Amino acid sequence: MDKMVIRGGERLLGQTRVSGSKNAALPILCAAILTPEPCTLRGVPALRDIRTTRLLLDRLGVKMSADAGDVVIDAKNLSGHEAPYEIVKTMRAGVLVLGPLVARLGRARVSLPGGCAIGARPIDQHLKGLEKLGAHIRLEHGYVEAEAPQGLKGAVINFDVPTVGGTENLLMAATLAQGKTVIANAAREPEIEALAEWLRAMGAKIDGDGTDEITIRGVTELHGADLPLIPDRIETGTLMVAAGITQGNVLLQNVRLDQVEAVVDKLRQAGLVIEPENDGVRVVGPHKVRAVDVRTHPYPGFPTDMQAQFMALMCINDGLSVVTETIFENRFMHVLELQRMGASIHIEGRSAMVRGTPFLSGAPVMATDLRASASLVLAGLTAEGVTEVQRIYHLDRGYERLDDKLIALGAKISRATQDTV
Ligand code: UD1
């Protein structure tokens, strides 16, 4: 098992390119199940979650081949209809095959994802929506069994919460349903718009994506598509914090500033200078970070996936910042680890009171999930001495070569094998 060893205190300088969006790629790869024609998605990052999706699609008889980030998915010989527990337990996004499988084959058997480190994360809204579309759903032996032998039928679906994965699953399912579907209280994340754009390129009739009401008019078949992936907005935010926390000066390429407005807003309040230039976005870290309160919300609010990284930045100022998590109930696991590095943080319910200190001190810490591991790496970049982030495999699920990118900007980072006791 790898750990990351970071010697803190280097200013990050230079330029780096943001990779394609993991969370946009995962549903789009699953959407290719909807057609027997080959599809090409360009600029796909090399990540563990992408490899897991490939494994899952392979089990279903779908072929996926990659050439330097251009991925071809061919579901002509779609034969299986089961997403097994071993795969869905390591990557919740495995449930995203549910909608496409029922739409194309009339049935699916998908493992329930169960709990994960950041909270319970149910899929009741996905199932309620599929039932509305006429699927018969049973829960048996830890699996969702969904059947719609006569095909799905358009309906009005009103989500109780704006769920990203639920909106994606239902959006995909409704493309091949008979008649009109309306998804109300839909999630508005850029990844939903990216999926809708991809489905439209496949021949789907979709309006309203990017708003909280999406209308889908079902078609009888979809065809192949060929599109590039949007940049990863969470990697964008993470690299911005990396520049900010090290008083760096970094040019980020492949950035969609319109998709990271809430994060940029908060980072500017914290003192970072973030300005578009001809070939990217310049990010300059302040001499002294200002304390800023932040509260996570569904898009276009501040993303829960940036909460841990923003908290790392708030650890090094001389004020008090209140960081409130409203999306997931257990997303403060990085707090104990940041405290081991000298951070002064006190949790009260869903809020963390972060009292900034002039500096953090390097320590051995443990990554517990994807974004928590990013926050520990960021803290390590500014800490005095050496930080060892153990269980770094969490980071590799969702960031493409983050350490290489940081090293190219001047960070002192290496990987080593973790000692086992
Ligand atoms: C997606 C992202 C994840 C991000 C999250 C919130 C992917 C692969 N993952 O996860 O990185 O942190 O959005 O922006 O894109 N909920 C229910 N019932 C459901 C579904 C969700 O109660 O059926 C609740 C969840 O417990 C959570 C909230 O709704 O409290 C939002 O979850 P959701 O938007 O579904 O997150 P994911 O799609 O799993």
Side-chain angles (χ1 to χ4, degrees), residues 23 92 121-126 163-165 304-305 327-328:
N23 285 355
R92 267 183 59 81
R121 302 182 83 174
I123 57 163
D124 57 307
Q125 300 298 308
H126 304 226
T163 150
V164 176
T304 173
D305 284 353
I327 310 289
F328 294 112

Side-chain angles (χ1 to χ4, degrees), residues 315-316 335-345 354-363 365 379 383:
C315 289
I316 49 145
V335 167
L336 276 175
E337 303 301 310
L338 289 170
Q339 284 169 341
R340 303 192 65 254
M341 299 176 73
S344 165
I345 308 172
V354 187
R355 183 162 294 286
T357 53
F359 60 88
L360 296 173
S361 80
V365 288

Side-chain angles (χ1 to χ4, degrees), residues 278-289:
N278 280 346
D279 48 351
V281 174
R282 169 93 33 208
V283 186
V284 182
H287 183 60
K288 202 169 193 179
V289 175

Side-chain angles (χ1 to χ4, degrees), residues 232-309:
D232 196 301
R233 64 194 170 98
I234 306 302
E235 188 196 342
T236 303
T238 303
L239 288 168
M240 285 177 171
V241 174
I245 210 166
T246 62
Q247 298 178 17
N249 184 334
V250 172
L251 183 72
L252 292 182
Q253 292 161 320
N254 195 31
V255 169
R256 284 276 305 262
L257 265 185
D258 59 317
Q259 298 183 342
V260 288
E261 277 176 5
V263 171
V264 166
D265 221 39
K266 287 294 173 184
L267 291 176
R268 283 184 175 144
Q269 286 175 36
L272 277 71
V273 175
I274 300 174
E275 291 303 333
E277 286 187 4
N278 280 346
D279 48 351
V281 174
R282 169 93 33 208
V283 186
V284 182
H287 183 60
K288 202 169 193 179
V289 175
R290 281 195 294 269
V292 178
D293 294 344
V294 75
R295 192 179 181 90
T296 63
H297 282 293
Y299 191 85
F302 190 93
T304 173
D305 284 353
M306 274 301 298
Q307 179 256 106
Q309 302 90 312

